[in-house]
């Protein structure tokens, strides 16, 4: 005798070896709830005592037109009328006889079914029509039966003695009468071990999931069945508090660079144009500096340049306002070298931009348009190789917001200062990094930046997003490195952090990261 939880017992009891039984029938027989039967069946199937076969069938029901037709197909009514008027009528008389203007359907089906012949404008009942008067067609009884059943599958109709095929054949071209949809039904059958278990005798027992003091004290624990734990069962999802997905991506980026031996630097968000543009050999009339591209700070009007009032690298350029004498002479050596590089190339071997460099423009405070200002500050602070530095931070551009652009976004910039550094080092590092971030493939395309030569754009491929531009990169030009006292190659790159988050989370709209979409925030998978 095997004790089984009540529902499992009832299912096994209902099944006969070698005969499949529909879950719906078991529900009827046992009187138990459908979901309870399915849960029991699943547990039995897991122990290989039963098998569950899924069968998907077409289920038929009637449309409103179909319900109307069930009362009498139009050609049936017309046949009766024709018979009553002597078995024939002129086509032109039909509307009057049938009491309706549009009699096309009647004529069509009377002739298609062969119930009438049509000759010289006269419709006459045929031999088949006479026969039809005595017996309903398969299509008519089919529709009538569907009115009674509400809906039925092909096999249910067949079980009820219907020649479904013949009916459907007759109903061809009358799709407006029938609704069809897929219905999945499940059938259970005993496996061999299931049949053996049943043959050995089974009895129902109360199932409990917890051993209570009462069960112990009363001794009933001997008669109950304990429900087994199944860690694989589906449960309602739980959404504990967690990091914001963008924050997680930032942490992953930092981790990736730490693993590759980089040091992290911070740099002012509001910085002088000197560090954002001039030190990068970006000409003072470069369009990127224009008001329509860059956010300028209205107050204070200007920031400190290196060497001014004790300003040093890494200091906030706003700590002391420079309200007096805008033109200081001599400038700090660094500022002087940058100025000369712009004007005539200085000692770099370049011809420079060949126009006057205005220190007032360099003093202007801007919301940094890229974190390359952090790289250049780090390089100026310590140009001694070998060094690998990165910075993640907020950047700003006067841009219209769309699916892939934000006016306030984050960038990751990095540099490698190394005597041995080559373009291969740069591409290898970036490929490794973006693959760590989830890219399937990484590609490089020649490009242009005022501060690098050669320059390359980096694209990453991922899933449905396809190829996405990830960052700009290159080797800093001598006009950038020499004024800072650096004589070895400096590899540099910078790109969007949100782009990486899009890659990582498969987002097609960057704005999602800044909307409090609670469903997405809950469901975004942070782990591996
Ligand atoms: N600063 C560039 C940008 O914002 C990227 C870049 C950084 C390109 C460093 C070359 C070198 O698009």
């Amino acid at each position: 005798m095997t004790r089984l939880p009540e529902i499992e017992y009832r299912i096994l009891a209902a099944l006969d070896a070698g005969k499949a039984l529909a879950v719906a029938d078991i529900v009827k027989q046992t009187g138990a709830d459908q979901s309870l039967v399915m849960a029991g069946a699943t547990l039995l199937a897991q122990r290989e005592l039963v098998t569950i076969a899924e069968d998907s069938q077409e289920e038929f029901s009637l449309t409103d037109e179909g319900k109307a037709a069930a009362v009498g197909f139009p050609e049936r009514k017309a046949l009766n009328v024709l018979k009553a008027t002597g078995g024939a009528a002129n086509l032109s008389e039909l509307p009057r006889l049938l009491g309706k203007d549009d009699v096309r359907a009647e004529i069509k089906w009377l002739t298609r079914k062969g119930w009438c012949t049509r000759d010289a404008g006269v419709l006459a009942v045929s031999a088949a029509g006479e026969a039809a008067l005595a017996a309903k067609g398969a299509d008519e009884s089919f529709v009538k039966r569907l009115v009674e059943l509400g809906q039925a599958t092909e096999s249910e109709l067949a079980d009820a003695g219907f020649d479904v095929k013949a009916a459907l054949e007759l109903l061809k071209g009358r799709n407006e009468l029938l609704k069809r949809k897929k219905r999945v039904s499940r059938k259970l059958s005993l496996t061999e071990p299931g049949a053996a278990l049943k043959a050995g005798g089974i009895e129902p027992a109360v199932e409990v999931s917890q051993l209570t003091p009462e069960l112990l004290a009363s001794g009933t624990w001997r008669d109950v069945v304990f429900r087994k734990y199944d860690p694989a069962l589906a449960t309602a999802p739980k959404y504990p508090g967690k990091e914001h997905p963008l924050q997680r991506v930032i942490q992953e980026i930092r981790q990736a660079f730490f693993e590759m031996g980089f040091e992290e630097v911070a740099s002012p968000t509001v910085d002088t144009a000197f560090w954002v543009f001039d030190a990068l050999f970006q000409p003072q009339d470069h369009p990127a500096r224009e008001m329509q591209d860059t956010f300028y700070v209205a107050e204070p009007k200007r920031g400190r340049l290196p060497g001014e009032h004790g300003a040093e690298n890494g200091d906030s350029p706003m700590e002391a306002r420079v309200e007096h004498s805008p033109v200081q002479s001599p400038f700090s050596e660094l500022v002087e070298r940058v100025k000369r590089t712009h004007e005539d190339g200085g000692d770099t071997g370049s011809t420079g931009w060949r126009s006057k460099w205005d220190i007032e423009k360099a003093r202007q405070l801007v919301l940094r348009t890229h974190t390359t200002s952090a790289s250049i500050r780090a390089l100026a602070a310590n140009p001694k190789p070998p060094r690998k530095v990165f910075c993640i931070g907020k950047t700003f551009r006067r841009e219209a917001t769309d699916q892939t652009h934000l006016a306030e976004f984050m960038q990751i910039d990095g540099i490698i200062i190394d005597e041995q550094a080559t373009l291969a080092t740069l591409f290898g590092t970036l490929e490794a990094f973006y693959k760590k971030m989830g890219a399937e493939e990484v590609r490089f395309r020649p490009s242009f930046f005022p501060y690098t030569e050669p320059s390359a754009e980096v694209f990453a491929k991922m899933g449905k997003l396809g190829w996405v531009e990830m960052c700009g990169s290159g080797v800093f030009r001598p006009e950038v490195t020499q004024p800072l006292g650096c004589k070895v190659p400096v590899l540099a790159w910078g790109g969007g952090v949100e782009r990486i988050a899009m890659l990582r989370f498969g987002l097609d709209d960057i704005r999602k990261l800044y909307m409090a979409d609670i469903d997405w925030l809950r469901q975004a998978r942070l782990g591996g």
Side-chain angles (χ1 to χ4, degrees), residues 60-62 65-76 108-110 112-115 132 135-147 157 161-174 176-178 180:
F60 301 99
S61 59
L62 294 174
E65 274 174 281
K67 284 177 199 152
V71 182
F73 278 42
E75 65 272 25
R76 165 74 52 190
K108 174 178 155 189
W109 289 100
L110 280 173
R112 187 187 281 198
K113 285 186 171 175
W115 288 357
K136 272 211 161 86
D139 51 346
E140 292 167 288
S141 16
F142 182 82
V143 168
K144 190 155 168 280
R145 193 65 209 250
L146 273 182
V147 174
L157 287 160
F162 269 94
D163 185 350
V164 181
K165 285 225 163 50
L168 289 178
E169 189 60 36
L170 282 169
L171 285 166
K172 250 193 198 146
R174 287 189 137 163
E176 71 281 6
L177 303 185
L178 288 184
R180 300 154 185 255

Side-chain angles (χ1 to χ4, degrees), residues 369-372 397 411 413-414 449 451-452 455-456 471-474 476 492-495:
T369 57
H370 54 190
T371 40
T372 318
R397 284 181 202 174
Q411 278 199 330
D413 257 81
F449 297 99
Y451 30 95
T452 47
S455 307
C471 79
S473 69
F476 273 152
W493 64 90

Side-chain angles (χ1 to χ4, degrees), residues 32 59 123 160 215 300 504 507:
E59 182 183 80
L123 217 48
L215 284 172
R504 172 76 166 64
L507 293 178

Side-chain angles (χ1 to χ4, degrees), residues 203-274:
E203 61 177 4
V206 176
E207 192 186 29
V208 298
S209 53
Q210 246 173 24
L211 185 60
T212 59
E214 290 74 26
L215 284 172
L216 284 173
S218 65
T220 16
W221 63 269
R222 289 192 186 86
D223 307 320
V224 300
V225 184
F226 290 97
R227 185 177 299 151
K228 293 206 170 67
Y229 281 110
D230 182 357
L233 276 183
T235 58
K238 287 249 188 331
Y239 299 113
K242 64 181 178 188
E243 276 175 304
H244 189 282
L246 185 59
Q247 189 57 39
R248 172 58 69 100
V249 166
I250 292 167
Q251 295 308 342
E252 286 175 2
I253 295 171
R254 297 178 68 228
Q255 194 56 39
F257 280 110
F258 288 145
E259 281 167 16
M260 293 192 284
F262 280 73
E263 66 180 286
E264 185 175 14
V265 293
S267 171
T269 310
V270 178
D271 209 345
T272 50
F274 178 82

Side-chain angles (χ1 to χ4, degrees), residues 1-71:
M1 222 19 130
T2 309
R3 272 170 201 281
L4 289 167
E6 177 90 28
I7 188 64
E8 293 181 27
Y9 165 80
R10 294 208 314 209
I11 294 170
L12 287 188
L15 291 173
D16 287 321
K19 221 180 107 203
L21 197 58
V23 168
D25 291 330
I26 298 177
V27 168
K28 250 184 254 155
Q29 278 184 32
T30 58
D33 195 68
Q34 149 108 19
S35 61
L36 194 62
V37 172
M38 266 322 290
T42 310
L43 289 167
L44 287 167
Q46 275 170 6
R47 304 207 299 280
E48 293 177 359
L49 297 172
V50 303
T51 52
I52 307 175
E54 284 201 356
D55 177 36
S56 126
Q57 277 198 40
E58 207 157 27
E59 182 183 80
F60 301 99
S61 59
L62 294 174
T63 61
D64 285 342
E65 274 174 281
K67 284 177 199 152
V71 182

Side-chain angles (χ1 to χ4, degrees), residues 290-304:
E290 300 280 319
M291 291 290 268
Q292 59 265 31
D293 290 307
T294 302
F295 289 109
Y296 281 84
V297 176
E299 191 63 41
K301 289 210 165 34
R302 58 182 80 88
R304 298 181 305 175

Side-chain angles (χ1 to χ4, degrees), residues 89-108:
N90 214 304
L91 282 176
S92 58
E93 279 190 69
L94 273 187
R96 187 185 55 80
L97 286 172
L98 297 174
K100 59 193 288 221
D101 292 339
D102 186 358
V103 295
R104 280 175 301 182
E106 282 78 358
I107 297 171
K108 174 178 155 189

